Amino acid sequence: MTTKDAVKILSRYPNTRYMGSKRKLIPIIAQVVKQLSPSTALDAFSGSGCVAYLFKEMGIKVTANDFLKFAYNIADASIANSHTRLTDEDIDLLINNEGNNNTFIRDHFRGLYFSDEDNAFLDSLWWNISKLKDNHKESLAFAAISRACIKRRPRGMFAYTGFRYDDGRKDLTLTLKEHFLKAVQEWNETVIDNGTVCSAYNNDVFELKDNNYDLVYIDPPYVSNHSDNDYTRRYHFVEGYMTYWQGVKIQEHTKTKKIESIPSRFSSKSTIYGAFDDLFGMFPKSTLLISYSSNSIPTKEDMIKLLKKHRRDVEVLEIDYKYSFGTHGHKIGDNNNSASEYLFIAK
Ligand SMILES: C[S@@+](CC[C@H](N)C(=O)[O-])C[C@H]1O[C@@H](n2cnc3c(N)ncnc32)[C@H](O)[C@@H]1O
């Protein structure tokens, strides 16, 4: 696979502006994975799904996993799903306004993120999705509305309320329904059959089974002194929407009405060393490929030490890469954000 091929593949995959997405590194990841030539791979922290999708395009039997439900739906729609698309009749059913009394979003989130018209669309869409009666179709619809909500939000997130940061992008002039209809087409176009049976899971990584994958790709949240790595805080609205806020706890005292963050051992300095140590021990027969940033804790040297506890052969590729999480008003190129991206390959 050439760099050009990898870029072409990804041009078909919706760009979700997902925090920590490795989309820009896809050509390099493609080169490395081609040399490793795995038949099976686990993307243990799949996020936007772009790396898992690259693997699927390369003919690998892929398993994607993420503990967020909306990331899972994206992976189920585009990785595990090889044949199902939303048809015109499905779309008619989905955007139909009648026959439901759901007003939770209108009542609970009025004025916080979207217009009353958009909130009413979200209320009826959820009800209509529940009538689809096909898991992959549901996932396609949830992937599409997640993309619509994120694109419709200035800065693509829900960590603030109101309509600040309007940068004049055309995306901010479209209704959620218009975004949704575009996104349905985009996700429909990602559906491919690579001749293997791919899967998607919605688990904490430590609940996954070791299926003797040839390759395990590891891209957890980065812990650092100057960036936010709380995915629930940033995306709580779409995450809550996946279940219509059933079974989750809204923190009513917060302005954003966010749900409680899902705890991850990869999000704090006090737990991250033990988390990596345990994770590297989980898949003893697999080659590990780890994305990592020079701004992160543990340091590169500590990561090598940890990996050497579990693998004989550890190689590090350093990629010069200006990185921005964009959460604290830094611009790309600020000292704090100018980071190198590493790929560790451990066998
Ligand atoms: C850096 S992002 C992955 C980005 C992805 N590789 C991409 O290119 O879009 C890290 C992901 O890990 C997920 N995550 C964090 N802690 C997790 C855990 N304990 N188990 C499973 N997923 C977790 C987050 O929801 C987030 O989607």
Side-chain angles (χ1 to χ4, degrees):
M1 165 154 325
T2 64
T3 302
K4 231 168 130 190
D5 294 336
V7 170
K8 201 166 147 210
I9 287 170
L10 260 294
S11 65
R12 184 161 75 228
Y13 196 77
N15 187 351
T16 51
R17 303 174 76 204
Y18 195 75
M19 173 161 73
S21 165
K22 295 302 168 302
R23 200 179 172 99
K24 287 188 198 157
L25 301 186
I26 286 292
I28 295 156
I29 295 174
Q31 289 306 315
V32 172
V33 172
K34 189 181 160 203
Q35 282 186 3
L36 297 170
S37 65
S39 303
T40 58
L42 167 68
D43 182 354
F45 302 83
S46 59
S48 72
C50 66
V51 177
Y53 194 73
L54 169 79
F55 293 171
K56 186 173 181 187
E57 279 273 11
M58 292 172 87
I60 300 166
K61 179 175 158 81
V62 192
T63 303
N65 174 67
D66 200 286
F67 76 171
L68 287 182
K69 289 196 168 53
F70 88 94
Y72 158 77
N73 278 311
I74 288 172
D76 191 61
S78 62
I79 311 297
N81 173 23
S82 295
H83 302 286
T84 306
R85 292 184 179 80
L86 287 170
T87 62
D88 289 346
E89 294 83 70
D90 296 328
I91 296 168
D92 273 352
L93 170 97
L94 286 169
I95 61 176
N96 179 354
N97 256 332
E98 291 156 27
N100 90 90
N101 299 315
N102 286 348
T103 58
F104 181 79
I105 296 173
R106 267 168 284 181
D107 298 341
H108 223 82
F109 293 98
R110 172 164 296 142
L112 294 191
Y113 303 114
F114 300 116
S115 68
D116 292 351
E117 179 198 353
D118 282 347
N119 286 340
F121 174 70
L122 286 169
D123 274 326
S124 58
L125 179 72
W126 196 88
W127 176 258
N128 296 339
I129 291 175
S130 70
K131 290 193 278 193
L132 280 172
K133 307 225 180 323
D134 178 292
N135 289 345
H136 289 323
K137 285 190 179 184
E138 278 189 12
S139 296
L140 281 163
F142 278 128
I145 194 58
S146 300
R147 176 165 169 71
C149 287
I150 289 170
K151 286 200 86 177
R152 185 64 190 77
R153 262 320 268 164
R155 306 179 79 196
M157 60 153 150
F158 300 86
Y160 71 95
T161 58
F163 307 94
R164 282 173 283 158
Y165 310 116
D166 184 340
D167 56 11
R169 270 185 305 126
K170 183 165 175 256
D171 280 346
L172 305 183
T173 64
L174 302 182
T175 64
L176 268 185
K177 186 173 167 181
E178 288 167 327
H179 274 294
F180 175 72
L181 291 172
K182 274 176 80 176
V184 164
Q185 298 311 333
E186 290 169 325
W187 285 115
N188 265 348
E189 277 169 33
T190 65
V191 179
I192 51 161
D193 178 9
N194 78 351
T196 75
V197 179
C198 297
S199 343
Y201 290 102
N202 180 213
N203 285 328
D204 187 282
V205 72
F206 293 109
E207 286 160 20
L208 294 175
K209 277 201 224 126
D210 176 15
N211 284 343
N212 292 330
Y213 301 102
D214 295 336
L215 177 74
V216 175
Y217 175 64
I218 295 174
D219 183 22
Y222 295 161
V223 172
S224 88
N225 288 325
H226 28 245
S227 44
D228 171 26
N229 69 7
D230 186 341
Y231 283 80
T232 324
R233 190 174 85 85
R234 181 174 266 243
Y235 298 117
H236 65 91
F237 183 85
V238 277
E239 186 62 10
Y241 187 77
M242 299 298 104
T243 55
Y244 212 59
W245 288 267
Q246 294 164 74
V248 295
K249 200 160 168 228
I250 295 185
Q251 297 179 312
E252 293 292 351
H253 61 283
T254 59
K255 219 172 145 185
T256 54
K257 303 268 181 260
K258 63 184 178 181
I259 57 175
E260 273 176 4
S261 286
I262 309 172
S264 172
R265 290 174 66 196
F266 292 91
S267 39
S268 89
K269 281 184 215 166
S270 58
T271 50
I272 189 127
Y273 288 85
F276 272 123
D277 199 10
D278 290 347
L279 183 61
F280 297 158
M282 273 176 70
F283 307 98
K285 296 206 180 110
S286 310
T287 296
L288 304 179
L289 178 63
I290 300 139
S291 276
Y292 209 62
S293 158
S294 61
N295 277 347
S296 304
I297 300 160
T299 61
K300 174 171 94 173
E301 290 68 29
D302 283 344
M303 284 291 279
I304 293 171
K305 260 191 228 153
L306 275 172
L307 278 165
K308 287 212 161 153
K309 274 178 74 180
H310 300 277
R311 296 292 192 282
R312 228 176 292 148
D313 181 5
V314 178
E315 193 188 332
V316 188
L317 297 181
E318 188 167 342
I319 305 147
D320 226 356
Y321 183 54
K322 299 281 182 208
Y323 203 73
S324 173
F325 285 100
T327 49
H328 296 287
H330 299 312
K331 289 192 191 75
I332 292 177
D334 278 7
N335 285 341
N336 281 347
N337 274 13
S338 126
S340 287
E341 209 40 47
Y342 299 125
L343 276 176
F344 296 94
I345 304 159
K347 295 181 199 162

